[in-house]
Structure formats: structure tokens, C-alpha cells
Amino acid sequence: MPEFRLYNSLTRAVEPFVPADGETVRMYACGPTVYNPAHLGNFRTFLFADLMRRALMLAGFKVRQVMNLTDVDDKIIKRATQQGQSIREVTEPVIGMFLADRDYLRIEPAEHYPRATDFIVEMVDLVRRLEMKGVAYQAEDKSVYFAIDKFAGYGRLSRLDTRELKAGARVAQDDYAKENAQDFALWKAATPDDEACGAAWDSPWGRGRPGWHLECSAMAMSLLGETIDIHTGGIDLQFPHHEDEIAQSEAATGKPFARFWCHGEFLLTDGAKMAKRVGNVANVQDLRTQQVSAAAVRHLMFSTHYRKQLNLSGTALEASMEAVRRVGDFAERLAAATGGTLKMAEIAEAFRGEFEDALRDDLNAPRAQAALFVFINQVNAELDKRGGDAAGLTAAREAFARANGVLDIVPDREGVDASLEAWVDGQLEARKAARGRRDFAAADQIRKSLEGKGIVVEDTPQGARWKKVR
RNA sequence: GGCGCCGUAGCCAAGUGGUAAGGCAGGAGACUGCAAAUCUCUCAUCGUCGGUUCGAUUCCGACCGGCGCCUCCA
């Protein structure tokens, strides 16, 4: 079997990937900061992790995935303070929304969703280790910082060593206590606001709270070990977040932290990065009110390679909705078919090879999806022949199920209640009778009234079929 | 200012040193009482200008245009 290959930001090259133990991929995905519902830009990255997870499993690996929930940070504290709540009161409902959105988008649950506040002990321990190694220091402001010039590899991931800071860039400001402007906080001394909203814990350095970067290192190493296979996240996290994770993890353990760093590109709207401060965010709830199916969103997200920016637009969504409609119709047709052709087995095998090659090639989902549409077209043509070959049909069904197990782009059927169903069936009986006596005007009238209720009728050799749309 | 990415048909988007997958939209046809669904055919020379090469969309350079990171950020 061809090797699985992934682009590694660490080396800036596509490399063969195998988990360190040859069997189970231990992957850590940077998750949401839960102060606000995640927007579609965030979910593009989470969908990228979902694709990675499913593609790895399709390739035969086991996966142990962790996605953190950052439930203590500046924004959360700010919000809690404004609303006179504890940070937990702020984060709890948002976590609920995140999980609901995740389920709506059919993102397969990771094995763990650790909350930062549940790992304070591990975080304090990590800071202590760094202090003992002499790479952390407590400054006058009582916060503890990581001294980047004590870590030789600093800047390796983001190539910071070759960078220069923008002239006049805002580096110092409130960070006057640090020895070096680029040193980052491991442990932040508590403020009265922190105390008031429950964002302060005891530590050897006094009351305080963990720095953001520290949270991920501590949780990743606690749950997955000191060297993990894959660390994913949005491209914007590459610096400084991931750079700092590497520094503090490797300085503490002396071992490589993550073997592969994989970054997903941004989702743009109106040609700009989707971000709250740009004012162009859309979230899952917006899609639901627009009746955009999860299948369509997944199709759209997978139609562009994860390392390329993707511009979200209404027309793109409509194209995906239509594409996925076709996939859904095909799925039903395949399920209902009573026989296939010999050739379908060949088509299925070719499809399976191309589909899986594409995914193994640095998660080339656009290519995999293209293969699926070729497959759908070819199998539809075979199905039109109304053959009776059982093996061919089975092969096609299996190949489709296997591919859809990764993409998951078959839309849900519209829910129909029993009374509507009975009414539609009655209408179709009347239409059948009208057609029987060649009263097409009456038959068309019935079909038109059904369409008014979102019922689309399709005549087939086996009689009329119908489905609810919108 | 430093680092990096991108520019392929009306829209979205793969890809290769030897004349371009797929989706949406469009056109023609088959099937149908008419539709719908499905099928068939059809629709591009790859931002511009140079260079390397027998040959470049694919390599190199310049330019134009767009985006991102360097500060919280998926």
C-alpha cells in the first residue's frame, strides 16, 4: 500500500507519515477558546482535523485524538468580569454550543476534550520543571516567564530566526517586566478581577493562572505522552502559540514534542480572513437558519485543499448544496437498486484506489471528491442498464460507504411526519388515476400543488417517488 | 520593513515538463404525456512579460493583482 504522506510545517515538506508506535496516531488539535460560539473559520480547522482523523483511520491506523477547550484566558475573564459571572458560568454554555455545532457538522468526537481548568496541577508541575531547568524566571510582576534565549531551537517552526520585528511594532507595552520582549508568560500573577471570577489558583509563585501556551503543552503531554505524532491547528497559531508550545515542552522533557505540525489555512469571507474584528463572521447557527445542510458545508470545505485559503460565498454554498443533493439521490438509488452490472465492480475498484490515494497524498480531499463524482456518474450509467449482477452492486455499495465514511456528505432526508406522508400518498394515488385516464391536466395540477408544499415528484419505471425538499 | 502563500473556464477547484480532474451554472440531445431524476455530447491553453528547454500552465526571474503571519486569533 502506498505510504501516507503529510505536509509537515516543521520541515516545510511533504513527508511519509507513520505513527511512532506503528499503530496508533496520537494527535492533538488546538480547540476553541470558549467565550463565544465558534465561527465557520474555526470550524474549517476542526473539519480539517476531522478529515485527518478519518483519513488516517481509513488508511488503517488507530487514532487517539485530543482537542482542548481553553476555558480560562483574557477574553473569558473580561467577559466574566463584565457580566459579573464566574469564568465557569461564561464557558459552560459555550462548551455546550460548541459540542452541538460539532455534532451538527458531523465532526467525529475526539477521544478527549480536556478543559484547561481541569489541568492546573499538571500545568504548575510543568512550570516547576522549567524553573528547575533554568529556563523560567519569575519577574517583578510576580508572573513567571519563559526565557526564549535559553532555548536554542526557538523559532524553528515559524522561522523566526530569519525574521525581523516590524519597525515600531507593539512589543513592549504592558510587558515591561519581562527580561526579553519576546519572552512569554507561563504563569500569570492573579489580578483582583481574576480572583473575583474564579480564575486564580495557588502555586509556588503565588496566586495566578496558566498562560495560554502552557495549557496546550500540559494537556497534550498528560494525555498523549511527551512526544505526540501530529499536532494540528490553524495557520495563525503557528506563531507564537505553537512555537511556544515547542519551546516549553521540549525544554522540559528534552524530547521532540510533536513529530508533525500540520496547519490549516484560513476561511475568508469577502476576501478577508473571517474574524470577529473584521466583522465578517458566520457561525453554524447562521447556516442552520439558512437551511444549509452539514453535508453541503462539508462538501464545500473539502472542495479546497486544507492548505489553501477558501473564500466562503453564497454561490459557493449553493453549488455545494446542489452537488450534495446529487450525492444524496445517488445514495438512495444505490440503496434501492436490486441489481447491478459486472462493470460496476471494476468501477468500484478504480474509484477506491483513486479515492484513497488522494487522501493519503497529504489529505487531498478535492481530488478524492472529484473521484467520487466520477464514480457516481459511472455507476449511475450502469444502473440505467438495469442489470441483475449482485456482486457488482455490492462492490459499488461498499466502495461508496467507505468513501462516505470519510467525507460524510450525504444530506439528511427532510423529516416528514406521518400525516403529511399519508396525504402525499393520497395525492399521488389520485394523480396516478388521472394519468391512467390520460387526464394530464389534472395530473399536472396535483404535481404542482405538491410542489407548493416542497414535495418533488419523480416518475420512475416502478411508479412515482417523492421527496421533501426545503 | 521582515517572513510566507496564492492568481487555472461565468463561478468554485484539482493537477502535470509533452497541449488541462471534478462540482455549480450554461448550450444541444436521449429518456418522459410533460416534467423531475439519470445518461450522452458540448463549454479553458492555465495573471503579464522575459529566460531555461526539442517542448512550460507546470522550472527560473521580473512585474501586476489578491491574501496571510510578524500583536489576541482556527
Side-chain angles (χ1 to χ4, degrees):
Chain A
M1 184 148 72
E3 60 197 8
F4 201 101
R5 301 187 308 143
L6 284 174
Y7 180 85
N8 189 349
S9 297
L10 218 41
T11 57
R12 308 274 161 119
V14 176
E15 303 175 11
F17 171 80
V18 177
D21 71 3
E23 185 176 74
T24 304
V25 181
R26 286 166 301 159
M27 62 184 272
Y28 184 91
C30 276
T33 297
V34 286
Y35 73 105
N36 235 352
H39 61 247
L40 294 177
N42 300 307
F43 274 108
R44 182 185 185 197
T45 301
F46 304 148
L47 243 7
F48 151 56
D50 184 53
L51 173 69
M52 171 96 72
R53 171 190 174 85
R54 298 199 202 204
L56 286 166
M57 292 197 290
L58 185 77
F61 298 120
K62 289 177 185 158
V63 172
R64 183 146 172 244
Q65 183 191 181
V66 173
M67 178 176 279
N68 68 291
L69 300 173
T70 299
D71 63 350
V72 51
D73 98 313
D74 293 351
K75 285 175 183 166
I76 294 169
I77 291 166
K78 192 175 168 192
R79 176 140 316 177
T81 303
Q82 281 170 181
Q83 299 176 184
Q85 293 178 308
S86 67
I87 54 169
R88 197 172 178 86
E89 285 170 320
V90 169
T91 59
E92 209 56 37
V94 179
I95 289 173
M97 285 186 262
F98 169 70
L99 297 177
D101 288 347
R102 174 202 67 186
D103 291 343
Y104 181 74
L105 292 178
R106 304 177 177 178
I107 292 171
E108 235 175 48
E111 279 63 32
H112 301 279
Y113 287 95
R115 299 175 191 202
T117 53
D118 288 334
F119 284 78
I120 301 295
V121 172
E122 288 80 355
M123 293 169 194
V124 167
D125 189 56
L126 182 55
V127 177
R128 197 183 281 130
R129 285 172 79 180
L130 290 169
E131 199 176 36
M132 287 192 296
K133 299 259 181 176
V135 295
Y137 62 92
Q138 184 166 28
E140 280 178 26
D141 64 357
K142 300 299 178 197
S143 292
V144 181
Y145 295 94
F146 184 95
I148 64 161
D149 55 6
K150 300 257 175 67
F151 181 70
Y154 195 80
R156 195 157 41 99
L157 176 66
S158 57
R159 312 272 155 118
L160 188 69
D161 48 333
T162 62
R163 297 185 186 193
E164 287 173 25
L165 278 171
K166 182 178 183 176
R170 204 184 85 217
V171 277
Q173 200 120 328
D174 58 347
D175 299 331
Y176 50 83
K178 296 190 282 187
E179 291 174 0
N180 180 320
Q182 289 187 61
D183 288 352
F184 57 90
L186 294 165
W187 187 259
K188 296 186 170 184
T191 65
D193 279 351
D194 294 350
E195 293 286 1
C197 65
W201 291 264
D202 287 323
S203 83
W205 314 279
R207 297 280 290 172
R209 60 187 170 94
W212 176 42
H213 315 304
L214 184 78
E215 299 177 3
C216 282
S217 287
M219 290 188 279
M221 293 198 288
S222 296
L223 294 165
L224 296 172
E226 294 184 340
T227 297
I228 65 179
D229 288 308
I230 299 174
H231 192 128
T232 67
I235 186 69
D236 54 338
L237 260 36
Q238 193 173 84
F239 182 85
H241 187 53
H242 292 162
E243 195 70 71
D244 292 348
E245 280 188 58
I246 291 173
Q248 64 204 181
S249 302
E250 300 191 355
T253 68
K255 298 174 190 165
F257 176 47
R259 299 171 54 231
F260 278 70
W261 285 88
C262 300
H263 295 100
E265 256 296 348
F266 280 128
L267 180 70
L268 312 181
T269 328
D270 307 323
K273 167 182 175 176
M274 182 179 280
K276 283 205 75 178
R277 67 145 181 246
V278 182
N280 59 352
V281 297
N283 56 40
V284 173
Q285 192 53 49
D286 295 330
L287 292 177
R288 297 179 76 152
T289 54
Q290 288 168 53
Q291 313 219 12
V292 178
S293 68
V297 178
R298 296 179 67 93
H299 173 90
L300 179 65
M301 298 289 189
F302 295 155
S303 67
T304 298
H305 187 91
Y306 75 87
R307 282 195 285 117
K308 265 181 98 171
Q309 295 173 343
L310 164 60
N311 195 224
L312 180 73
S313 69
T315 48
L317 266 176
E318 280 163 29
S320 285
M321 287 167 77
E322 182 57 22
V324 126
R325 194 273 312 151
R326 215 177 131 203
V327 176
D329 279 2
F330 173 75
E332 288 184 12
R333 187 181 187 196
L334 195 62
T338 52
T341 63
L342 222 51
K343 202 177 167 194
M344 276 165 62
E346 281 173 42
I347 292 168
E349 195 182 329
F351 164 51
R352 184 167 157 162
E354 169 58 14
F355 184 86
E356 294 179 28
D357 277 353
L359 289 181
R360 275 192 296 263
D361 181 16
D362 192 27
L363 304 177
N364 195 329
R367 212 180 110 199
Q369 266 187 350
L372 175 66
F373 280 93
V374 169
F375 170 76
I376 288 175
N377 172 259
Q378 291 178 340
V379 173
N380 265 328
E382 291 305 305
L383 252 18
D384 279 351
K385 294 175 185 167
R386 315 204 60 214
D389 188 70
L393 181 60
T394 300
R397 282 177 175 159
E398 285 176 356
F400 179 70
R402 203 170 150 79
N404 192 239
V406 175
L407 301 175
D408 212 348
I409 55 172
V410 173
D412 284 329
R413 284 293 299 260
E414 280 285 327
V416 175
D417 61 59
S419 66
L420 177 65
E421 188 161 346
W423 178 76
V424 172
D425 287 343
Q427 291 291 296
L428 287 180
E429 274 307 311
R431 177 166 175 271
K432 188 178 173 186
R435 294 181 76 207
R437 60 178 185 269
R438 302 191 68 78
D439 182 356
F440 297 121
D444 290 349
Q445 183 54 45
I446 292 170
R447 185 168 65 197
K448 201 162 180 189
S449 78
L450 284 168
E451 270 168 20
K453 308 231 180 208
I455 306 294
V456 173
V457 179
E458 292 176 13
D459 291 320
T460 75
Q462 294 84 239
R465 282 195 323 183
W466 62 277
K467 64 183 175 186
K468 180 117 165 61
V469 296
R470 279 191 308 153

